[in-house]
Amino acid sequence: MPAPHRPSAERSSLLLKPHSILYPPIPRHSARGTEDTLDELHAGVDTVWKPVHGTFDCSDSLLTLRYFSMQSLQLRLGQLMQGRGALHSPEVSLFLRGRFDHVYVTTPAYLRMAANTVQMLGDPQQQPLFFDVAAQRMVIDVSRCFVPQSSQLAADTVRGLVSISESNSFKRFVERLWAELEPDWSPGLATLAVDVLHDTARCITRHVLKEPELSLTMPAQRLADEVGARRVAQALLTGAAWETKATVEAFAALWRQGLSTPPTR
């Protein structure tokens, strides 16, 4: 039985252990190559952690399936975020390469870890997952990230991951392009249009990532028809120049036709 891991124990006050089904002991040969010994898989390589103590609302086999569901979402997101002109923060780049740990915890432990995390991506009060930047790990509230007693991802999981992963430069690029397209607009109306476009792009991206029970709003459906849903998602997630420019120009044309109903968040 490997010793409990204490990642940043002074900050999180939570003992964790590796998920044994995914990371069982592995054989390593001795220097002479004649004897096998069993050692714990190195803990710094994409390890999945769970609490040592306390009630956990899923079995080890269900936790494995939930991890695979998260990996599937990560893969779909990564496919959207690759391509020309895509610039990412170091944290998102780490995520895209899969070089981070997963920590699956209960809601009380999740909130406690969030309160003791110095640098993070995400809003733990609003989202069921966040990136602990210093520890290079994604912390996941199993109660809110999955449908109870299943491995199906909850809608909040997709919504939260999109919020964490969207490009920091997207909105600034949109504001600059909008000012060039509509130089005579009042600041208030320009801000409204940019905000509606931003929320519309988020809605489309969540749709591309198959958020459960999500219906495209009218603005999102029309923009997706004009530009292509994946292209809009790529603009939001990467801030790539061509994708963002095409998105803004199409949205501006729709806006002039009376497209002014904000999508739901």
Side-chain angles (χ1 to χ4, degrees):
M1 180 73 179
H5 180 55
R6 295 172 173 80
S8 304
E10 69 281 4
R11 293 190 290 110
S12 65
S13 300
L14 179 70
L15 296 182
L16 303 170
K17 62 182 178 180
H19 179 33
S20 58
I21 291 181
L22 289 170
Y23 294 96
I26 57 174
R28 292 183 180 177
H29 295 284
S30 66
R32 294 182 179 180
T34 57
E35 298 179 358
D36 287 343
T37 59
L38 292 180
D39 291 314
E40 178 192 351
L41 186 65
H42 189 273
V45 184
D46 313 331
T47 307
V48 175
W49 301 98
K50 62 182 180 180
V52 170
H53 305 295
T55 302
F56 204 49
D57 71 345
C58 65
S59 64
D60 279 354
S61 58
L62 180 54
L63 181 57
T64 299
L65 294 175
R66 288 176 167 182
Y67 171 68
F68 290 156
S69 293
M70 290 297 299
Q71 279 198 318
S72 177
L73 177 58
Q74 175 195 336
L75 177 61
R76 295 198 302 273
L77 185 69
Q79 290 172 337
L80 290 173
M81 297 179 76
Q82 304 299 332
R84 67 180 188 275
L87 299 175
H88 311 299
S89 68
E91 296 78 26
V92 171
S93 294
L94 189 77
F95 169 73
L96 292 178
R97 297 197 306 272
R99 306 305 295 173
F100 62 96
D101 288 358
H102 283 217
V103 180
Y104 291 84
V105 291
T106 60
T107 299
Y110 175 84
L111 295 175
R112 188 164 75 250
M113 293 181 74
N116 289 281
T117 298
V118 176
Q119 184 182 0
M120 70 174 66
L121 294 178
D123 180 359
Q125 296 300 323
Q126 302 296 325
Q127 301 161 355
L129 74 171
F130 69 89
F131 286 129
D132 181 337
V133 175
Q136 297 186 352
R137 62 188 179 185
M138 183 162 66
V139 183
I140 298 160
D141 181 346
V142 292
S143 300
R144 293 193 291 156
C145 270
F146 301 94
V147 174
Q149 302 305 314
S150 82
S151 60
Q152 181 181 343
L153 295 171
D156 281 349
T157 306
V158 179
R159 190 177 300 116
L161 199 54
V162 168
S163 178
I164 289 171
S165 304
E166 67 182 52
S167 169
N168 291 330
S169 62
F170 174 75
K171 191 170 184 179
R172 294 194 300 271
F173 194 9
V174 168
E175 289 170 344
R176 186 168 68 251
L177 287 172
W178 195 270
E180 294 173 359
L181 287 171
E182 305 291 351
D184 298 329
W185 281 34
S186 68
L189 187 55
T191 297
L192 173 63
V194 168
D195 287 345
V196 173
L197 171 53
H198 200 176
D199 282 349
T200 300
R202 286 171 174 156
C203 182
I204 292 172
T205 303
R206 288 156 46 199
H207 171 74
V208 172
L209 291 172
K210 304 183 186 305
E211 178 181 314
E213 301 181 7
L214 173 69
S215 297
L216 286 178
T217 61
M218 181 273 290
Q221 184 64 66
R222 293 185 64 186
L223 183 61
D225 291 342
E226 289 290 328
V227 185
R230 288 183 63 86
R231 200 174 188 188
V232 175
Q234 288 168 342
L236 176 76
L237 295 170
T238 70
W242 288 107
E243 284 73 13
T244 304
K245 187 173 186 294
T247 297
V248 173
E249 289 178 346
F251 184 82
L254 292 171
W255 186 274
R256 296 186 198 106
Q257 299 169 18
L259 182 66
S260 58
T261 304
T264 57
R265 292 179 181 271

